[in-house]
Structure formats: structure tokens, C-alpha cells
Amino acid sequence: MRKLPSHGTLRMTKVAYPLGLCVGLFIYVAYIKWHRASAAQAFFTVAGAATGARWGQQTFSSPGSAARGPEVFYGIMFDAGSTGTRVHVFQFARPPGETPTLTHETFKALKPGLSAYADDVEKSAQGIQELLDVAKQHIPFDFWKATPLVLKATAGLRLLPGEKAQKLLQKVKEVFKASPFLVGDDCVSIMNGTDEGVSAWITVNFLTGSLKTPGRSSVGMLDLGGGSTQITFLPRVEGTLQASPPGHLTALQMFNRTYKLYSYSYLGLGLMSARLAILGGVEGKPAEDGKELISPCLSPGFRGEWEHAEVTYRISGQKAAGLHETCASRVSEVLRNKVHKTEEVQHVDFYAFSYYYDLAASVGLIDAEKGGSLMVGDFEIAAKYVCRTLETRPQSSPFTCMDLTYISLLLQEFGFPRDKVLRLTRKIDNVETSWALGAIFHYIDSLKRQKSTAS
């Protein structure tokens, strides 16, 4: 017979089941609450970290943010030169109470120069837009409206008839106005030669630290472009200021200081324009059909073509011997009474850029990548050597003899002795030594002064 459970056992079973169910439910609810609390805590921890990271980034880089770190700002400068149009996108950082520093540069160039579109203005917009897209890619969206956009044209447009140049600039301005950047009424202009020289002086002295340290000796600047050449330095001798011809002195205001600079641009004495003058041509006038330009700076019997300012010139070499001597004589004629000589340049450290660098590198006077230092007389030594070997090896670059001879005599006309040491470089601290940096930096500084005056 089966044994039946007692009443006590039944009562214990009836109590245990509900009690176990309640305990299990309590444990389950407690676990769910704990899990959700942990997840929420993890979420807010991650979110807080992300917010903190964004805030930290904002204090460093957002326009108008509280200055917990360096203020970051950008500037865009278009360099419309005679041989190409280039965009420079600069990023600056300004620690509180200190002078700004350049933290990054983006650079891109397109050929031909803006002046090549003088008879087809609409076509110029495509290249400008392509370079604007580069700026958009390298500047954060939040900074677009606060980033100044500027184009300055140099010798290429200065040599164009006024009406054609203005139509080109108006087209560029239309493209700029449609962009998301900060565009002022003066955003597009033809840069006069003095401003070009002064801007390059700002660049090199900014990069060498001379503008940061009041009283520190500044350096001079020599730039040799295609259509013009510039010389700029800060005179320390009163006699230099008194003897300077009209138009050779200019005032510059930067960082609440005023500099009185010796600066002049010689339009028509850039390397390409000088070549044309040495050949016997005239700027802006094509050679007559069937006519060859004769140069004493080319090897005997040389025959060839050279394209300058969208015009092809037929040229031929000289027949007489003594290539360097006859070339130097012709160059001296081209330079006669066109360059002002200053004694003080002997005592100022100078940096030389552009074609000075390119020619020196091409004949091994400096390292092609790193640059270097040389004496003014080295250009003359190289010119004599190249001219002499060109007589026996006419297949070499036909213009090197001419170019080196021209540079050698140009520097001497400026007042540099043959033993004067020049520093030739493309970059300082890995930054291009063009006038573009100085120009946009001065522009931004001017905007800041205007805002400060207005408030």
C-alpha cells in the first residue's frame, strides 16, 4: 500500500513554492536593475569622455571659443603669377598673449598663369574653382565662414592691358563670392611690386623668428621672378634712408610695431623679361614673321625657339667668340641706369629665392633639395664656365649662360660685392618662402586691427 504524505509535509510544500518564486523574482528584478544601471553608467562614461574630447578640441580650435588653448585660425592666399596660379592654405595657432605660429601649409599649383586667359575669361574660372576645392578639403567646415580668401596677381597681370586684367579679376571675384569663405571687397587685386617684396620680407622674417623678438636683427630678401625682381630689407643706417630714391621706402605695421623698409620691385627685370630684352625683343610685342632675334649669350650657330608670354620667338646665337664677355656686355646694356645701388646691403644678411635658387641648383652651386649658401661671385664663376663649355657643347641648355651672367651682374648692380654670402632656400622649417605667407598674415593682422578700432 502506498504511503500518503502527512499534512505537515503538505503545508511545508505549499509555503516553499511561493517563497522560492518570490526569491527568484526578487533576484531577477535586482539583476535587471543592476544591469541597466551598469549599462547606463557605461554609456554616460563614454558619452562624457566623448563630450570632454569634443570640448577639449573646441577650446583649441573652434572659432570664438573660450581660450583654454591656442586659438586656431586659417587663411587662403591665391598667388596668380606669370607662369601659374597657386593656392596656399595656411593654418595658424596663437597661444594666449603670444605671437601666432604657422602649424600647417597646403599648397597646389596649376598652369598656365591667369594672364593666359586674357582672351577667354570664362575659362579661367575652372582652375580657380579646382584650387578652391583644395581649400575646402583642408579646412574644417566650422572655420569656412571665418577664413579670409584672397587672390593677389603679380607681374603676369601687371603686364596686361588694364581692361583685360580687370575682366579676369572680376571673374575671379565672382567665383570667390560664391564660395563659403570670408570674402572682402578687396579680396582680389593686382599686387604692386613693393607689396610683393614686403610680403616676402614678412615671410622670411616670420619664419626665422625676427618678428617675434623685438630688437633681433632682421634679414633681407631677394626675389627673382619671371617678370619682376624685388629687394627688401630694414635699413639701420640713416644714410640709406636719406639716399633712397622716391618710392623705395615703405612703412609696414605688424604686431603693433611700425617698420620703415627699403623695398623696390623692378618690373621688366625678372628673368623671363630680361631674357627677352637681351635677345632684342620688346615685352608685349611678338616677333615679326620670319624674323629671328639675335643674342650674344647663345652658342655660335644656335637655332631654336623659345616661348615667352604665349608668344614663340625664333632665336639664333652669335657668330663671334668670347661668349661670356659679349653676353656680359649686352646684359650691362640692359641693366644700365635701371637699378639703384645701396651700400648697406653689404652688411645685411640676405635670403634669395625663386630663380636665384633654381639657377644655382641647376649648375651645382647649392644642393637642389636643401639649398645652401654661396658668394655672389660664384654666379660669375659659374657663368664663365658654362659659357665657355657651351661653345663646345651647344646641346646643353642654351639659356644657362645668359641667365647666370644676368644674375651675376644684377646682384652687383644692387650693391653686393663678389664676396657677399647669400642664403638660398626654398623652405624654412619646411615652409615655402614665398610672399604668400607674409601677404595673408599681414591681411589677417589688418583685419584684426580694423575690428579692434571699430570696437
Side-chain angles (χ1 to χ4, degrees):
M1 178 181 287
R2 185 175 61 177
K3 187 177 181 180
L4 296 174
S6 68
H7 294 287
T9 305
L10 286 172
R11 283 196 297 270
M12 286 295 294
T13 304
K14 289 180 179 179
V15 172
Y17 281 142
L19 182 63
L21 184 62
C22 289
V23 171
L25 183 62
F26 175 79
I27 293 173
Y28 175 76
V29 171
Y31 171 78
I32 293 298
K33 286 185 176 181
W34 173 82
H35 181 73
R36 287 180 176 176
S38 299
Q41 184 178 8
F43 170 79
F44 286 115
T45 300
V46 172
T51 303
R54 285 196 299 271
W55 174 249
Q57 183 180 17
Q58 186 182 30
T59 58
F60 181 80
S61 59
S62 179
S65 62
R68 290 191 177 185
E71 172 197 1
V72 173
F73 56 98
Y74 294 82
I76 308 167
M77 176 59 70
F78 276 69
D79 168 5
S82 57
T83 58
T85 301
R86 311 156 191 97
V87 66
H88 298 260
V89 182
F90 298 109
Q91 181 188 45
F92 299 96
R94 188 201 313 267
E98 295 184 21
T99 302
T101 58
L102 179 68
T103 52
H104 190 263
E105 177 193 15
T106 300
F107 170 82
K108 184 174 181 179
L110 292 178
K111 292 185 177 183
L114 199 58
S115 56
Y117 302 103
D119 297 318
D120 192 358
V121 174
E122 293 298 323
K123 202 172 180 180
S124 66
Q126 182 178 350
I128 297 297
Q129 188 59 57
E130 182 178 339
L131 295 178
L132 275 175
D133 290 341
V134 173
K136 288 181 181 179
Q137 293 168 11
H138 289 86
I139 298 177
F141 174 81
D142 290 345
F143 288 84
W144 286 0
K145 290 184 179 179
T147 298
L149 172 61
V150 182
L151 177 142
K152 290 188 179 293
T154 55
L157 261 67
R158 288 201 293 267
L159 292 169
L160 279 180
E163 185 178 349
K164 288 188 174 183
Q166 287 306 315
K167 285 183 178 179
L168 279 169
L169 295 181
Q170 184 58 38
K171 172 52 64 176
V172 173
K173 194 168 186 178
E174 290 174 10
V175 178
F176 277 15
K177 288 286 187 181
S179 79
F181 299 110
L182 178 62
V183 178
D185 292 334
D186 57 348
C187 65
V188 176
S189 62
I190 296 178
M191 193 181 209
N192 68 51
T194 298
D195 287 343
E196 190 174 343
V198 169
S199 295
W201 183 88
I202 295 172
T203 295
V204 69
N205 283 279
F206 175 73
L207 294 176
T208 56
S210 299
L211 292 180
K212 284 187 176 182
T213 311
R216 179 174 174 177
S217 295
S218 62
V219 296
M221 182 285 309
L222 290 165
D223 198 354
L224 180 61
S228 61
T229 185
Q230 292 80 35
I231 177 172
T232 304
F233 67 96
L234 180 64
R236 300 286 186 183
V237 179
E238 186 63 29
T240 301
L241 300 175
Q242 295 176 355
S244 298
H248 284 63
L249 297 177
T250 186
L252 167 69
Q253 190 173 356
M254 284 285 294
F255 302 144
N256 299 319
R257 296 179 62 198
T258 299
Y259 301 87
K260 196 165 188 179
L261 300 175
Y262 177 101
S263 183
Y264 199 75
S265 177
Y266 295 90
L267 184 61
L269 294 186
L271 191 65
M272 298 300 111
S273 295
R275 278 185 185 178
L276 182 59
I278 295 166
L279 288 166
V282 179
E283 195 77 52
K285 294 183 180 180
E288 298 175 11
D289 289 341
K291 181 181 178 182
E292 286 189 325
L293 302 178
I294 308 298
S295 173
C297 300
L298 298 170
S299 60
F302 173 83
R303 292 289 185 274
E305 293 185 343
W306 170 53
E307 190 173 285
H308 170 70
E310 311 310 318
V311 177
T312 298
Y313 293 90
R314 288 175 293 281
I315 55 178
S316 62
Q318 57 142 6
K319 294 182 180 179
L323 199 55
H324 179 263
E325 290 74 11
T326 52
C327 184
S329 176
R330 175 61 183 152
V331 170
S332 295
E333 292 176 19
V334 170
L335 289 172
R336 185 171 292 124
N337 299 324
K338 291 183 179 176
V339 179
H340 178 250
K341 184 175 292 187
T342 54
E343 296 295 329
E344 192 177 348
V345 297
Q346 303 179 37
H347 311 295
V348 177
D349 290 334
F350 270 85
Y351 279 78
F353 311 128
S354 303
Y355 281 119
Y356 289 116
Y357 186 103
D358 296 341
L359 264 293
S362 71
V363 294
L365 293 177
I366 58 172
D367 185 275
E369 294 297 324
K370 300 177 182 178
S373 297
L374 51 69
M375 290 192 295
V376 169
D378 291 336
F379 279 112
E380 183 178 9
I381 294 171
K384 289 180 177 178
Y385 174 79
V386 170
C387 293
R388 185 172 66 251
T389 55
L390 191 61
E391 295 176 15
T392 58
R393 291 186 296 172
Q395 73 274 13
S396 301
S397 176
F399 293 106
T400 307
C401 166
M402 180 194 304
D403 294 344
L404 289 169
T405 302
Y406 176 72
I407 287 177
S408 169
L409 293 175
L410 175 64
L411 290 171
Q412 292 176 48
E413 286 294 311
F414 279 137
F416 293 101
R418 287 178 171 82
D419 62 352
K420 173 67 178 179
V421 175
L422 303 177
R423 284 182 261 186
L424 277 67
T425 182
R426 283 198 180 117
K427 294 183 177 182
I428 297 175
D429 289 338
N430 208 34
V431 178
E432 294 283 342
T433 52
S434 76
W435 57 260
L437 170 60
I440 194 63
F441 198 69
H442 187 231
Y443 188 86
I444 292 172
D445 189 62
S446 299
L447 289 178
K448 183 181 177 183
R449 287 200 305 273
Q450 292 171 13
K451 185 179 179 180
S452 179
T453 303
S455 60

